[in-house]
Amino acid sequence: MNRPHARNSLGKVFVNELFRVLEQLRFDEQVRVVVFKSEVKGVFCAGADLKERAKMDDAEVGEFVRRLRNLMDEIAALPVPTIAAIDGYALGGGLELALACDLRVAASSAKMGLIETTRGLLPGAGGTQRLPRCVGIGLAKELIFTGRQIDGQQAASMGLVNHSVPQNSEGDAAYQKATALAKEILPQVDIASGMAIEGMCYAQNIPTKDRQEGMAAFREKRPPRFIGK
């Protein structure tokens, strides 16, 4: 990510660029692991572009937040392992982006938080759902209600990140650790086999009575009545 003038904040153009990159990654069979990192020193992603959002009307805000949520879902749905390398601030939507990744590595000096409540907002791009799955409901409520920022060591102690590493002079310690982790993962990843297994599972699903019932219920606009067959 490289939007230095706005600290990698998630504006319309930047979000569209991320969508395009994700589309390319999804269908690139040479890609085995994806690392999300920042080219802007001291910041991973500062969250939504609130200067841009301040110019939107209510309908535009609703649509943009929906698009942000879809972006995080697309990251979560990538068919390869994903790692967020957090070498600086990951706030609001920036932390939600990291939460959408499979793994997170942070420099000990990094700052993370779902700070939306300090702006009269609430996490709208998956934070309320993904944070509790990392740290538990109680801690997630505390972090969201207070909008508190925590450092990499605190994040590791509560399970928000997999690893916390001391920052180096280049400012890319988390990225270096994430790259090493990716190399460790690489020999274990076999997407072709995984896709073949998915295909076999789907083939088993096609002739089931429950699938047929689900399609019928959709056509007839009624709740499905599944029987487990």
Side-chain angles (χ1 to χ4, degrees), residues 121-135:
L121 306 168
L122 57 87
T128 64
Q129 303 305 304
R130 293 190 173 100
L131 184 61
R133 287 164 170 78
C134 284
V135 304

Side-chain angles (χ1 to χ4, degrees), residues 5-41:
H5 68 282
R7 304 177 74 212
N8 288 341
S9 61
L10 298 164
K12 288 182 178 179
V13 173
F14 191 34
V15 167
N16 288 340
E17 290 173 345
L18 286 170
F19 267 114
R20 284 195 292 270
V21 170
L22 291 171
E23 186 70 9
Q24 294 169 2
L25 291 172
R26 176 177 295 280
F27 296 104
D28 189 340
E29 294 182 356
Q30 301 302 310
V31 175
R32 307 292 291 279
V33 182
V34 173
V35 176
F36 286 84
K37 70 179 292 272
S38 171
E39 290 293 311
V40 182
K41 194 168 184 176

Side-chain angles (χ1 to χ4, degrees), residues 7 42-47 86 88-95 107-119 131 139-158 160:
R7 304 177 74 212
V43 61
F44 176 74
C45 174
I86 306 169
Y89 284 91
L91 304 176
L95 181 53
S108 56
S109 58
K111 296 293 184 181
M112 287 158 273
L114 293 180
I115 62 171
E116 287 87 348
T117 55
T118 67
R119 307 286 193 271
L131 184 61
L139 271 175
K141 285 182 177 180
E142 182 177 339
L143 291 173
I144 292 171
F145 293 168
T146 63
R148 184 183 305 141
Q149 296 181 34
I150 59 174
D151 63 28
Q153 289 182 313
Q154 292 171 308
S157 69
M158 64 179 62
L160 176 53

Side-chain angles (χ1 to χ4, degrees), residues 33-37 83-87 103-108 156 161-168 171-185:
V33 182
V34 173
V35 176
F36 286 84
K37 70 179 292 272
I83 308 172
I86 306 169
D87 272 307
L103 306 174
R104 284 158 295 284
V105 177
S108 56
V161 301
N162 298 79
H163 300 278
S164 175
V165 292
Q167 188 55 280
N168 58 29
D172 67 349
Y175 174 63
Q176 295 299 329
K177 177 64 176 177
T179 301
L181 189 56
K183 290 177 180 177
E184 188 177 351
I185 291 170

